[in-house]
Coordinates of all heavy atoms in Angstrom, one line a residue:
S1 N 0.8 -1.2 0.0 CA 0.0 0.0 0.0 C 0.9 1.3 0.0 O 2.0 1.2 0.4 CB -0.9 0.0 1.2 OG -0.1 0.3 2.4
P2 N 0.3 2.4 -0.5 CA 1.1 3.6 -0.4 C 1.6 4.0 1.0 O 2.7 4.4 1.2 CB 0.2 4.7 -0.9 CG -0.8 3.9 -1.8 CD -1.0 2.6 -1.1
A3 N 0.7 3.8 2.0 CA 1.1 4.1 3.4 C 2.2 3.1 3.8 O 3.1 3.5 4.6 CB -0.2 3.9 4.3
G4 N 2.1 1.9 3.4 CA 3.2 0.9 3.8 C 4.5 1.3 3.2 O 5.5 1.1 3.8
R5 N 4.5 1.7 1.9 CA 5.7 2.2 1.3 C 6.3 3.4 2.0 O 7.5 3.5 2.2 CB 5.5 2.4 -0.2 CG 5.4 1.2 -1.0 CD 5.4 1.5 -2.5 NE 4.2 2.2 -3.0 CZ 3.0 1.7 -3.2 NH1 2.8 0.4 -3.1 NH2 2.0 2.5 -3.6
Q6 N 5.4 4.3 2.3 CA 5.9 5.5 3.1 C 6.4 5.1 4.4 O 7.5 5.6 4.9 CB 4.7 6.5 3.2 CG 5.1 7.8 3.7 CD 3.9 8.8 3.7 OE1 2.7 8.4 3.9 NE2 4.2 10.0 3.4
S7 N 5.8 4.2 5.1 CA 6.3 3.7 6.4 C 7.6 3.0 6.2 O 8.5 3.2 7.0 CB 5.3 2.7 6.9 OG 5.7 2.1 8.1
R8 N 7.9 2.3 5.2 CA 9.2 1.7 4.9 C 10.2 2.7 4.7 O 11.4 2.6 5.2 CB 9.1 0.7 3.7 CG 10.3 0.0 3.4 CD 10.6 -1.1 4.5 NE 11.9 -1.5 4.3 CZ 12.6 -2.1 5.3 NH1 12.1 -2.3 6.4 NH2 13.8 -2.5 5.1
Q9 N 9.9 3.8 3.9 CA 10.9 4.8 3.7 C 11.3 5.5 5.0 O 12.5 5.8 5.3 CB 10.4 5.9 2.7 CG 10.3 5.4 1.3 CD 9.6 6.3 0.4 OE1 8.9 7.2 0.8 NE2 9.8 6.2 -0.9
L10 N 10.3 5.8 5.8 CA 10.5 6.4 7.1 C 11.4 5.5 8.0 O 12.3 5.9 8.6 CB 9.2 6.7 7.8 CG 9.3 7.4 9.2 CD1 10.0 8.7 9.1 CD2 7.9 7.5 9.8
H11 N 11.1 4.2 8.0 CA 11.8 3.2 8.7 C 13.3 3.2 8.3 O 14.2 3.2 9.1 CB 11.2 1.8 8.5 CG 12.0 0.7 9.1 ND1 12.9 -0.1 8.3 CD2 12.0 0.2 10.3 CE1 13.4 -1.0 9.1 NE2 12.9 -0.8 10.4
E12 N 13.6 3.3 7.0 CA 14.9 3.3 6.5 C 15.7 4.5 7.0 O 16.9 4.4 7.4 CB 15.0 3.2 5.0 CG 14.5 1.8 4.5 CD 14.3 1.8 3.0 OE1 14.4 2.9 2.3 OE2 14.0 0.7 2.4
R13 N 15.0 5.6 7.0 CA 15.7 6.9 7.5 C 15.9 6.8 9.0 O 17.0 7.2 9.4 CB 14.9 8.1 7.1 CG 14.9 8.3 5.6 CD 14.2 9.6 5.2 NE 14.2 9.7 3.7 CZ 13.1 9.8 3.0 NH1 11.9 9.9 3.6 NH2 13.2 9.8 1.7
I14 N 14.9 6.4 9.7 CA 15.1 6.4 11.1 C 16.1 5.3 11.6 O 16.8 5.5 12.6 CB 13.7 6.1 11.8 CG1 12.8 7.3 11.6 CG2 13.8 5.8 13.3 CD1 11.4 7.2 12.1
Q15 N 16.3 4.3 10.8 CA 17.3 3.2 11.1 C 18.7 3.8 11.1 O 19.6 3.3 11.8 CB 17.2 2.1 10.1 CG 16.1 1.1 10.3 CD 16.3 0.2 11.5 OE1 17.4 -0.2 11.8 NE2 15.3 0.0 12.3
R16 N 18.9 4.9 10.4 CA 20.2 5.5 10.3 C 20.6 6.3 11.6 O 21.7 6.7 11.7 CB 20.3 6.4 9.1 CG 20.2 5.6 7.8 CD 20.3 6.6 6.6 NE 19.9 5.9 5.4 CZ 19.1 6.4 4.4 NH1 18.7 7.6 4.5 NH2 18.8 5.7 3.4
L17 N 19.6 6.6 12.4 CA 19.8 7.4 13.6 C 20.4 6.5 14.7 O 20.2 5.3 14.7 CB 18.5 8.0 14.1 CG 17.8 9.0 13.2 CD1 16.4 9.3 13.7 CD2 18.6 10.2 12.9
D18 N 21.1 7.1 15.7 CA 21.5 6.3 16.8 C 20.3 5.9 17.6 O 19.2 6.5 17.5 CB 22.6 7.0 17.6 CG 22.1 8.3 18.3 OD1 21.1 8.1 19.1 OD2 22.7 9.3 18.2
V19 N 20.5 5.0 18.6 CA 19.4 4.4 19.3 C 18.6 5.4 20.1 O 17.4 5.4 20.2 CB 19.8 3.2 20.2 CG1 20.2 2.0 19.3 CG2 20.9 3.5 21.1
V20 N 19.3 6.4 20.7 CA 18.6 7.4 21.5 C 17.8 8.3 20.6 O 16.6 8.6 20.9 CB 19.6 8.2 22.4 CG1 18.9 9.3 23.2 CG2 20.3 7.2 23.4
D21 N 18.4 8.8 19.6 CA 17.7 9.7 18.6 C 16.5 9.0 18.0 O 15.4 9.6 17.8 CB 18.6 10.2 17.5 CG 19.6 11.3 18.0 OD1 19.4 11.7 19.2 OD2 20.5 11.6 17.2
R22 N 16.6 7.7 17.7 CA 15.5 6.9 17.2 C 14.4 6.8 18.2 O 13.2 7.0 17.9 CB 16.1 5.5 16.9 CG 15.3 4.7 15.9 CD 15.8 3.4 15.6 NE 17.2 3.4 15.3 CZ 18.0 2.3 15.2 NH1 17.5 1.1 15.4 NH2 19.3 2.4 14.9
A23 N 14.7 6.6 19.5 CA 13.7 6.6 20.5 C 12.9 7.9 20.6 O 11.7 8.0 20.7 CB 14.3 6.2 21.9
I24 N 13.7 9.0 20.6 CA 13.1 10.4 20.7 C 12.2 10.6 19.5 O 11.1 11.1 19.7 CB 14.2 11.4 20.8 CG1 15.0 11.3 22.1 CG2 13.7 12.8 20.6 CD1 16.3 12.1 22.2
V25 N 12.6 10.3 18.3 CA 11.8 10.6 17.2 C 10.5 9.7 17.2 O 9.4 10.2 16.8 CB 12.5 10.6 15.8 CG1 12.7 9.1 15.4 CG2 11.8 11.4 14.7
L26 N 10.6 8.5 17.6 CA 9.5 7.6 17.6 C 8.4 8.2 18.7 O 7.2 8.2 18.4 CB 9.9 6.2 18.0 CG 10.6 5.4 16.9 CD1 11.1 4.1 17.4 CD2 9.7 5.2 15.7
L27 N 8.9 8.6 19.8 CA 8.0 9.1 20.8 C 7.4 10.4 20.3 O 6.2 10.7 20.5 CB 8.7 9.3 22.1 CG 9.3 8.0 22.8 CD1 10.3 8.3 23.9 CD2 8.1 7.2 23.3
W28 N 8.2 11.3 19.6 CA 7.6 12.5 19.1 C 6.6 12.2 18.0 O 5.5 12.9 18.0 CB 8.8 13.3 18.5 CG 8.4 14.6 17.8 CD1 8.0 15.7 18.4 CD2 8.3 14.8 16.4 NE1 7.7 16.7 17.4 CE2 7.9 16.1 16.2 CE3 8.6 14.0 15.3 CZ2 7.7 16.6 15.0 CZ3 8.4 14.5 14.1 CH2 8.0 15.8 13.9
L29 N 6.8 11.2 17.2 CA 5.8 10.9 16.2 C 4.5 10.4 16.8 O 3.5 10.5 16.1 CB 6.4 9.8 15.2 CG 7.5 10.3 14.2 CD1 8.1 9.1 13.6 CD2 6.9 11.2 13.2
E30 N 4.6 9.9 18.0 CA 3.4 9.5 18.7 C 2.7 10.7 19.5 O 1.8 10.5 20.3 CB 3.7 8.4 19.7 CG 4.0 7.1 19.0 CD 2.8 6.4 18.4 OE1 1.7 6.6 18.9 OE2 3.0 5.7 17.4
N31 N 3.2 11.9 19.2 CA 2.7 13.1 19.8 C 2.8 13.2 21.3 O 2.0 13.8 22.0 CB 1.2 13.3 19.4 CG 1.0 13.6 17.9 OD1 1.8 14.3 17.3 ND2 0.1 12.9 17.3
M32 N 3.9 12.6 21.8 CA 4.1 12.7 23.2 C 4.7 14.0 23.6 O 5.5 14.5 22.8 CB 5.1 11.6 23.7 CG 4.5 10.4 24.2 SD 5.6 9.4 25.1 CE 4.6 8.0 25.2
P33 N 4.4 14.6 24.7 CA 5.0 15.9 25.1 C 6.4 15.7 25.4 O 6.9 14.6 25.8 CB 4.1 16.3 26.3 CG 3.3 15.2 26.7 CD 3.3 14.2 25.6
Y34 N 7.2 16.8 25.3 CA 8.6 16.7 25.5 C 9.0 16.2 26.9 O 9.9 15.5 27.1 CB 9.3 18.1 25.3 CG 9.3 18.5 23.8 CD1 8.7 17.8 22.8 CD2 10.0 19.6 23.5 CE1 8.8 18.2 21.5 CE2 10.1 20.1 22.2 CZ 9.5 19.4 21.2 OH 9.6 19.8 19.9
D35 N 8.2 16.6 27.9 CA 8.5 16.2 29.3 C 8.4 14.7 29.5 O 9.1 14.0 30.1 CB 7.7 17.0 30.3 CG 6.2 16.9 30.1 OD1 5.7 16.7 29.0 OD2 5.5 17.0 31.2

């Protein structure tokens, strides 16, 4: 699906981040507040 392909592209980019940055961006994508 188009959403699945977009998800895969996002996955590939996020995979390049270090583990802490990956965690931060995933939590941010879930609309969690900074605190």
Side-chain angles (χ1 to χ4, degrees):
S1 71
R5 284 189 295 277
Q6 190 175 33
S7 176
R8 181 71 192 159
Q9 289 173 341
L10 181 61
H11 175 260
E12 289 169 357
R13 290 186 186 122
I14 291 175
Q15 282 288 323
R16 296 181 193 138
L17 299 172
D18 67 52
V19 292
V20 175
D21 285 352
R22 204 177 306 169
I24 292 169
V25 79
L26 288 173
L27 296 167
W28 175 77
L29 286 170
E30 290 289 329
N31 295 317
M32 266 200 191
Y34 288 7
D35 58 331

